Amino acid sequence: MVSRVGAVSEDFRKLALGYGLTTAEILYRMPDHPSLLQTYVWQNYDLFPKFPALQDFLRFWQMTLEGPLYSVRVAHSKLIKPAELRAVDGVFRLH
């Protein structure tokens, strides 16, 4: 593994630009058995609220794959955010 000073990974760059981890649970109908639903989980860094990477993937799905989409459920979380601090009353003493 080669380490370069000043080299930043593409993933870290995206996080610094406001991207967050997006997970989509995609339900689709089986092409040969339309009454059955299958699950596919997609995960990538994406921008809230428009989700351009997810939109591109869903366009690719509809144009290329045979299984018609039934539903898409999305969860998103920013990984770089302000620290969450909370005041705690009490004193803890160690020996």
Side-chain angles (χ1 to χ4, degrees), residues 18-23 44-49 51 74-79:
Y19 282 71
L21 186 62
T22 302
T23 304
N44 203 348
Y45 294 115
D46 210 351
L47 286 170
F48 176 82
F51 302 112
V74 179
H76 178 81
S77 176
K78 282 196 167 198
L79 299 177

Short mmCIF file of all heavy atoms in Angstrom, two decimals, residues 18-23 44-49 51 74-79:
data_model
loop_
_atom_site.label_atom_id
_atom_site.label_comp_id
_atom_site.label_asym_id
_atom_site.label_seq_id
_atom_site.Cartn_x
_atom_site.Cartn_y
_atom_site.Cartn_z
N GLY A 18 -20.82 16.92 1.11
CA GLY A 18 -22.21 16.82 1.55
C GLY A 18 -22.91 15.53 1.18
O GLY A 18 -24.09 15.36 1.45
N TYR A 19 -22.21 14.60 0.54
CA TYR A 19 -22.82 13.33 0.22
C TYR A 19 -23.04 12.54 1.50
O TYR A 19 -22.34 12.72 2.49
CB TYR A 19 -21.92 12.50 -0.70
CG TYR A 19 -21.93 12.92 -2.14
CD1 TYR A 19 -21.34 14.11 -2.55
CD2 TYR A 19 -22.51 12.12 -3.10
CE1 TYR A 19 -21.35 14.50 -3.87
CE2 TYR A 19 -22.52 12.49 -4.44
CZ TYR A 19 -21.93 13.69 -4.81
OH TYR A 19 -21.93 14.07 -6.12
N GLY A 20 -24.00 11.66 1.49
CA GLY A 20 -24.25 10.78 2.62
C GLY A 20 -24.47 9.37 2.12
O GLY A 20 -24.66 9.13 0.93
N LEU A 21 -24.46 8.43 3.04
CA LEU A 21 -24.68 7.03 2.67
C LEU A 21 -26.17 6.80 2.43
O LEU A 21 -27.00 7.06 3.31
CB LEU A 21 -24.17 6.11 3.77
CG LEU A 21 -24.20 4.63 3.45
CD1 LEU A 21 -23.30 4.33 2.25
CD2 LEU A 21 -23.76 3.81 4.64
N THR A 22 -26.51 6.35 1.25
CA THR A 22 -27.90 6.10 0.86
C THR A 22 -28.09 4.61 0.63
O THR A 22 -27.31 3.98 -0.06
CB THR A 22 -28.25 6.87 -0.43
OG1 THR A 22 -28.01 8.26 -0.20
CG2 THR A 22 -29.70 6.66 -0.82
N THR A 23 -29.13 4.08 1.23
CA THR A 23 -29.49 2.68 1.06
C THR A 23 -30.91 2.63 0.50
O THR A 23 -31.80 3.29 1.03
CB THR A 23 -29.43 1.92 2.39
OG1 THR A 23 -28.13 2.08 2.95
CG2 THR A 23 -29.73 0.45 2.21
N ASN A 44 -24.94 3.34 -1.86
CA ASN A 44 -23.91 4.17 -2.47
C ASN A 44 -23.93 5.53 -1.79
O ASN A 44 -24.87 5.87 -1.06
CB ASN A 44 -24.18 4.33 -3.98
CG ASN A 44 -22.93 4.67 -4.75
OD1 ASN A 44 -21.90 5.00 -4.19
ND2 ASN A 44 -23.03 4.60 -6.06
N TYR A 45 -22.91 6.37 -2.03
CA TYR A 45 -22.92 7.74 -1.55
C TYR A 45 -23.76 8.57 -2.52
O TYR A 45 -23.61 8.46 -3.73
CB TYR A 45 -21.50 8.31 -1.48
CG TYR A 45 -20.66 7.63 -0.43
CD1 TYR A 45 -19.55 6.89 -0.78
CD2 TYR A 45 -20.98 7.72 0.91
CE1 TYR A 45 -18.77 6.26 0.17
CE2 TYR A 45 -20.22 7.09 1.88
CZ TYR A 45 -19.12 6.37 1.50
OH TYR A 45 -18.37 5.74 2.46
N ASP A 46 -24.66 9.40 -1.96
CA ASP A 46 -25.56 10.17 -2.80
C ASP A 46 -25.94 11.47 -2.09
O ASP A 46 -25.72 11.62 -0.89
CB ASP A 46 -26.81 9.35 -3.11
CG ASP A 46 -27.43 9.68 -4.45
OD1 ASP A 46 -27.01 10.66 -5.08
OD2 ASP A 46 -28.35 8.95 -4.86
N LEU A 47 -26.52 12.39 -2.84
CA LEU A 47 -26.92 13.69 -2.31
C LEU A 47 -28.42 13.71 -1.99
O LEU A 47 -29.24 13.37 -2.82
CB LEU A 47 -26.63 14.80 -3.33
CG LEU A 47 -25.17 15.17 -3.50
CD1 LEU A 47 -24.99 16.07 -4.70
CD2 LEU A 47 -24.65 15.83 -2.25
N PHE A 48 -28.75 14.14 -0.77
CA PHE A 48 -30.13 14.32 -0.35
C PHE A 48 -30.58 15.71 -0.80
O PHE A 48 -29.80 16.64 -0.74
CB PHE A 48 -30.20 14.21 1.18
CG PHE A 48 -31.55 14.47 1.76
CD1 PHE A 48 -32.49 13.47 1.78
CD2 PHE A 48 -31.86 15.71 2.27
CE1 PHE A 48 -33.74 13.70 2.31
CE2 PHE A 48 -33.11 15.95 2.80
CZ PHE A 48 -34.05 14.93 2.82
N PRO A 49 -31.74 15.96 -1.27
CA PRO A 49 -32.93 15.13 -1.38
C PRO A 49 -33.19 14.60 -2.79
O PRO A 49 -34.13 13.85 -3.00
CB PRO A 49 -34.05 16.09 -0.98
CG PRO A 49 -33.62 17.40 -1.54
CD PRO A 49 -32.10 17.39 -1.42
N PHE A 51 -31.12 12.69 -4.81
CA PHE A 51 -30.54 11.37 -5.04
C PHE A 51 -30.18 11.11 -6.51
O PHE A 51 -30.72 10.21 -7.14
CB PHE A 51 -31.49 10.27 -4.54
CG PHE A 51 -31.82 10.39 -3.08
CD1 PHE A 51 -33.11 10.71 -2.68
CD2 PHE A 51 -30.86 10.19 -2.11
CE1 PHE A 51 -33.43 10.81 -1.34
CE2 PHE A 51 -31.17 10.31 -0.77
CZ PHE A 51 -32.46 10.61 -0.38
N VAL A 74 -36.13 4.30 0.64
CA VAL A 74 -34.81 4.92 0.73
C VAL A 74 -34.52 5.34 2.16
O VAL A 74 -35.38 5.92 2.84
CB VAL A 74 -34.73 6.15 -0.21
CG1 VAL A 74 -33.37 6.82 -0.10
CG2 VAL A 74 -35.01 5.74 -1.64
N ALA A 75 -33.28 5.08 2.61
CA ALA A 75 -32.77 5.59 3.89
C ALA A 75 -31.47 6.33 3.59
O ALA A 75 -30.69 5.91 2.73
CB ALA A 75 -32.52 4.44 4.85
N HIS A 76 -31.26 7.46 4.28
CA HIS A 76 -30.10 8.29 4.00
C HIS A 76 -29.54 8.83 5.31
O HIS A 76 -30.29 9.22 6.20
CB HIS A 76 -30.50 9.45 3.08
CG HIS A 76 -29.39 10.40 2.77
ND1 HIS A 76 -28.45 10.14 1.81
CD2 HIS A 76 -29.07 11.59 3.32
CE1 HIS A 76 -27.59 11.15 1.76
NE2 HIS A 76 -27.96 12.04 2.67
N SER A 77 -28.22 8.87 5.41
CA SER A 77 -27.58 9.42 6.60
C SER A 77 -26.29 10.11 6.21
O SER A 77 -25.46 9.53 5.52
CB SER A 77 -27.28 8.31 7.62
OG SER A 77 -26.58 8.84 8.72
N LYS A 78 -26.13 11.36 6.66
CA LYS A 78 -24.86 12.05 6.46
C LYS A 78 -23.86 11.47 7.44
O LYS A 78 -24.16 11.30 8.62
CB LYS A 78 -25.01 13.55 6.69
CG LYS A 78 -25.63 14.25 5.54
CD LYS A 78 -25.39 15.73 5.67
CE LYS A 78 -25.75 16.35 4.34
NZ LYS A 78 -25.20 17.66 4.20
N LEU A 79 -22.67 11.17 6.98
CA LEU A 79 -21.67 10.57 7.84
C LEU A 79 -20.80 11.62 8.50
O LEU A 79 -20.23 11.38 9.56
CB LEU A 79 -20.82 9.58 7.04
CG LEU A 79 -21.62 8.43 6.43
CD1 LEU A 79 -20.72 7.54 5.60
CD2 LEU A 79 -22.31 7.62 7.50
#
